[in-house]
Amino acid sequence: MKYEYWLACVRPLAGGKKEKLRSRAGSGEAVYYIEEKRLQEMEFLTEKDRQVILSFQKKKDLSTEYGRLLEKEIRLVPCHDPAYPRRLRECAGHPYALFVKGRLPADDRLSVAIVGARQCSAYGERQALAFAEYLAGRGVQVISGMARGVDGAAGRGAINGGGDTYAVLGSGVDVCYPAQNRGLYGDILKKGGILSEQLPGAAPRRENFPARNRIISGLADAVLVLEARERSGSLITADMALEQGRDVYALPGPVDSPLSRGCNQLIRQGAGLLIGPEELLEELVSEPALAALLPGRMRGKGECEKSDKNKKVLESAENIVYSCLGLYPRDISSLLEETALAPAVLMETLVALQIKGYVKEISKGYYIRAE
């Protein structure tokens, strides 16, 4: 593994090129001892890449460096290792390797990332704690960046819920940032793990954080943005999540609050509306592939928590319309297209469902299920 560590340390070389180089050579050790003539045959490498690799081969203290890594109880997990998180491996531009203290998120468990403003409001912190505690208590893994504000609150909430939580850092895994979260850092190590693609000892540099954000979203099945300004790292995370095919949810807030403008904009663009942790979990597990990632006892618990009225048998048209609604607002046009009902029948049905308490009209012509 020390040769894999060496290849991970060849920082000027992009992760994708490292993967291809190792695949062609056969192992990290083969790359370490590769000759310049063979490197010339690797057409995907630039001349600068070749010189970088050759210069790194001259390091003589590899065993000592790797020994220090082990002394700090830091594990290296290259992307070809079976332990490398499946969700992240499937994302374009994934890190060549992760440095890990503690555990990695399990592939067979539902995972949700919670991100938001560092200078969050009391409302944002309260919601981060509540969402994380509820989800973690029901077997959902919580991923965050362990930053001040929303991220840190999410980590604490998950621990309060007795669940597993993981933090992705923009520094080395042995560098607690921010320092004020030292206690949280220790608690996360007991209940999950600390991850980073940065080398051990690396300082938290500004340019590391956008790259860190792609790992947070890549490890999750869904990303929750609880507070965000119009231009913020949380919105970068949301963009990356969408590119990775993840569901994005946002917490609505006052229209005159700068901390809510980013979230309100995400909702306007089609992000899921966060009403409460119970509703979120119910929506997530409505997808069979995600429901299968919850522990069996928790799936049963979720079913028991569904309201009795959702189990009642509706009239035929009502059943059709109700089945098309969820926590995402749906407008008349989309409902007409999906239900194939006549406009007059659809409107009568929506009115009947509202009277019975099954449906809410949250704005003119937009409907959701009522919980």
Side-chain angles (χ1 to χ4, degrees):
M1 189 61 77
K2 70 178 181 180
Y3 295 107
E4 301 296 347
Y5 167 70
W6 169 81
L7 186 53
C9 290
V10 183
R11 292 318 242 182
L13 191 64
K17 290 186 177 181
K18 290 179 185 179
E19 284 189 63
K20 190 176 289 189
L21 179 59
R22 185 189 181 280
S23 177
R24 291 273 193 93
S27 68
E29 183 176 2
V31 177
Y32 183 79
Y33 289 109
I34 199 168
E35 296 180 352
E36 185 172 3
K37 182 180 178 181
R38 181 77 192 285
L39 284 176
Q40 294 294 337
E41 298 171 359
M42 308 289 187
E43 74 287 347
F44 58 90
L45 295 175
T46 66
E47 186 56 35
K48 182 178 179 180
D49 293 335
R50 297 183 183 102
Q51 293 306 313
V52 165
I53 294 165
L54 292 171
S55 68
F56 270 76
Q57 285 178 331
K58 297 176 181 179
K59 288 194 170 186
K60 303 298 182 183
D61 55 353
L62 178 58
S63 295
T64 302
E65 281 191 25
Y66 185 63
R68 292 196 192 103
L69 193 78
L70 298 179
E71 287 173 4
K72 293 181 177 180
E73 298 183 332
I74 298 174
R75 182 160 54 114
L76 176 73
V77 184
C79 59
H80 55 268
D81 191 311
Y84 193 92
R86 173 186 51 78
R87 294 176 182 86
L88 186 59
R89 187 190 290 116
E90 293 171 353
C91 295
H94 57 258
Y96 174 75
L98 293 172
F99 292 92
V100 183
K101 281 183 73 70
R103 292 184 284 111
L104 282 165
D107 288 337
D108 60 352
R109 296 266 304 283
L110 183 61
S111 297
V112 168
I114 299 180
V115 298
R118 285 177 169 82
Q119 302 296 329
C120 68
S121 67
Y123 166 68
E125 182 175 19
R126 186 170 65 252
Q127 294 302 318
L129 284 164
F131 272 88
E133 183 172 347
Y134 181 89
L135 294 172
R138 282 147 184 82
V140 180
Q141 300 176 120
V142 175
I143 317 292
S144 78
M146 208 186 79
R148 290 188 296 272
V150 166
D151 288 45
R156 290 194 298 275
I159 291 167
N160 292 343
D164 298 334
T165 184
Y166 301 85
V168 185
L169 305 187
S171 60
V173 293
D174 54 340
V175 178
C176 178
Y177 179 80
Q180 69 191 58
N181 280 346
R182 174 66 61 184
L184 177 59
Y185 177 96
D187 288 339
I188 290 176
L189 284 178
K190 297 174 186 175
K191 293 295 296 178
I194 308 289
L195 296 67
S196 179
E197 67 176 321
Q198 302 302 322
L199 299 179
R205 301 174 64 87
R206 186 183 185 88
E207 58 267 25
N208 294 346
F209 288 91
R212 182 277 305 262
N213 293 347
R214 87 190 191 286
I215 301 176
I216 293 176
S217 56
L219 290 169
D221 296 299
V223 175
L224 316 186
V225 184
L226 297 193
E227 272 190 333
R229 297 179 183 275
E230 282 185 289
R231 294 178 179 82
S232 67
S234 298
L235 297 189
I236 293 174
T237 307
D239 288 341
M240 291 177 172
L242 292 172
E243 290 176 8
Q244 294 166 337
R246 307 308 193 238
D247 291 328
V248 174
Y249 295 83
L251 182 72
V255 295
D256 59 351
S257 169
L259 287 170
S260 292
R261 285 178 185 166
C263 287
N264 291 341
Q265 182 65 24
L266 285 174
I267 294 168
R268 183 181 181 186
Q269 293 170 348
L273 181 67
L274 287 175
I275 298 174
E278 299 90 345
E279 291 83 358
L280 171 68
L281 185 58
E282 183 175 336
E283 180 160 338
L284 290 176
V285 300
S286 67
E287 299 181 35
L290 296 185
L293 299 179
L294 271 187
R297 69 183 189 282
M298 296 304 176
R299 290 199 296 274
K301 187 173 184 178
E303 290 167 4
C304 291
E305 289 177 347
K306 290 181 181 178
S307 61
D308 290 338
K309 67 182 178 183
N310 285 348
K311 298 176 184 177
K312 293 178 181 177
V313 177
L314 301 176
E315 296 297 327
S316 179
E318 293 176 351
N319 202 16
I320 291 171
V321 174
Y322 184 74
S323 67
C324 294
L325 294 171
L327 297 182
Y328 287 105
R330 300 290 302 275
D331 62 11
I332 298 296
S333 297
S334 65
L335 288 172
L336 281 171
E337 182 177 351
E338 188 166 345
T339 63
L341 295 172
V345 174
L346 175 62
M347 295 309 300
E348 289 175 7
T349 304
L350 285 169
V351 170
L353 288 171
Q354 289 179 80
I355 293 172
K356 293 179 180 180
Y358 290 97
V359 167
K360 286 182 180 179
E361 184 178 17
I362 61 168
S363 62
K364 185 65 175 177
Y366 284 82
Y367 300 86
I368 64 171
R369 286 190 185 186
E371 299 297 332

